[in-house]
């Protein structure tokens, strides 16, 4: 850290900055999950949804196309963001529940 930030921040300031940034990212991630959940509620109706675990996910390219057709503007905005935003699409969350709800609707 010294090579990169030593002339700008003290070690204590760096810890505070890292903690506050990490905390903000966690809040932003949670906010974006709530945002996507609201989109899912609008499309499929209210449902209890949990965040999928960090693990490999099988991705169906047809499902991805359907998701992008439904929320193209939101996915484009997420891709254009340099940093996380409360209005980001959460890909694995969206994919998992798209498959669940679309399958149940058929």
């Amino acid at each position: 850290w010294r090579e990169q930030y030593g002339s700008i921040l003290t070690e204590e300031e760096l810890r505070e900055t890292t903690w506050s940034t990490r905390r903000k990212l966690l809040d932003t991630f949670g906010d974006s999950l709530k945002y996507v959940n609201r989109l899912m509620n609008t499309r499929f109706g209210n449902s209890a949804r949990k965040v999928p675990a960090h693990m490999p996910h099988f991705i169906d390219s047809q499902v991805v196309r359907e998701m992008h057709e439904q929320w193209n503007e939101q996915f484009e905005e997420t891709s254009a963001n340099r940093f996380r935003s409360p209005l980001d699409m959460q890909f694995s969350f969206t994919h998992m529940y798209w498959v669940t709800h679309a399958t149940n609707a058929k």
Side-chain angles (χ1 to χ4, degrees):
W1 71 269
R2 289 184 200 283
E3 295 80 30
Q4 201 167 18
Y5 301 106
S7 62
I8 302 169
L9 302 172
T10 66
E11 189 171 353
E12 183 177 334
E13 290 170 329
L14 179 62
R15 267 197 221 104
E16 289 173 9
T17 302
T18 304
W19 171 251
S20 66
T21 302
R22 186 176 341 159
R23 181 72 187 136
K24 182 165 176 29
L25 288 176
L26 291 174
D27 291 343
T28 302
F29 179 72
D31 290 343
S32 64
L33 287 170
K34 291 175 194 172
Y35 171 70
V36 173
N37 194 50
R38 284 192 299 272
L39 293 175
M40 299 295 279
N41 286 343
T42 301
R43 174 70 169 86
F44 296 109
N46 291 343
S47 180
R49 297 182 186 94
K50 297 182 180 181
V51 180
H54 286 294
M55 57 180 260
H57 299 279
F58 290 103
I59 303 298
D60 183 330
S61 58
Q62 179 59 37
V63 169
V64 172
R65 280 191 287 279
E66 291 172 9
M67 290 175 2
H68 277 266
E69 286 173 11
Q70 176 69 40
W71 295 304
N72 188 54
E73 186 178 317
Q74 290 86 349
F75 277 107
E76 290 295 323
E77 186 175 320
T78 298
S79 295
N81 290 340
R82 187 170 174 198
F83 301 103
R84 283 189 177 171
S85 160
L87 301 180
D88 281 351
M89 293 299 290
Q90 292 299 325
F91 185 80
S92 60
F93 181 81
T94 308
H95 186 276
M96 182 173 125
Y97 286 108
W98 185 278
V99 170
T100 302
H101 295 304
T103 302
N104 290 339
K106 290 181 181 180

